[in-house]
Amino acid sequence: MTDAAPATTWITLGRLDAIPVGRARYVEAAGRPLCVVRTSETEAIVFDDACPHAGSSLSGGHVEDGCLICPLHQWPFRVADGVCADAAGIHVRQYVSRVRDGLVELADPGPR
Ligand code: FES
């Protein structure tokens, strides 16, 4: 028996430079609709694509003042943690991700 944590499996979502800074793209991976948000020249964050307000696709939104703005009713979700800046009890799920060699990668979240 070992105490070593299982190795993380990384799922490639696409090229970072295919997304303009401050914009988002829809990706389906691990059986889920996801929203990849490019937050800077070198970073991206991955959220569930469905807005917790009324289910709009967040990948149609944009980043403004550190928040991903939902395209339907403009609720702001902080890119740092997915919490709605206007309603702290509401948040969108954020996934573990990284950028490596110009590719956005998702840590396999396992079964839904
Ligand atoms: S559906 Fe996103 S703010 Fe209403």
Side-chain angles (χ1 to χ4, degrees):
M1 188 166 164
T2 176
D3 291 338
T8 301
T9 299
W10 293 96
I11 301 168
T12 300
L13 300 181
R15 293 201 56 79
L16 178 67
D17 62 10
I19 307 171
V21 174
R23 306 301 293 198
R25 286 290 184 270
Y26 174 83
V27 174
E28 195 169 314
R32 303 151 209 262
L34 300 172
C35 170
V36 181
V37 185
R38 186 172 182 185
T39 55
S40 73
E41 289 294 330
T42 58
E43 296 176 290
I45 291 176
V46 180
F47 292 119
D48 271 332
D49 191 51
C51 178
H53 176 220
S56 178
S57 173
L58 289 170
S59 56
H62 67 281
V63 177
E64 187 177 302
D65 296 331
C67 292
L68 175 63
I69 309 298
C70 178
L72 193 54
H73 306 107
Q74 289 72 52
W75 282 21
F77 298 94
R78 296 190 310 233
V79 294
D81 57 12
V83 173
C84 181
D86 291 344
I90 298 173
H91 73 281
V92 61
R93 180 178 177 181
Q94 184 176 353
Y95 292 88
V96 175
S97 64
R98 69 182 183 186
V99 175
R100 178 172 269 195
D101 298 330
L103 299 173
V104 181
E105 297 179 330
L106 170 75
D108 188 343
R112 285 190 85 166

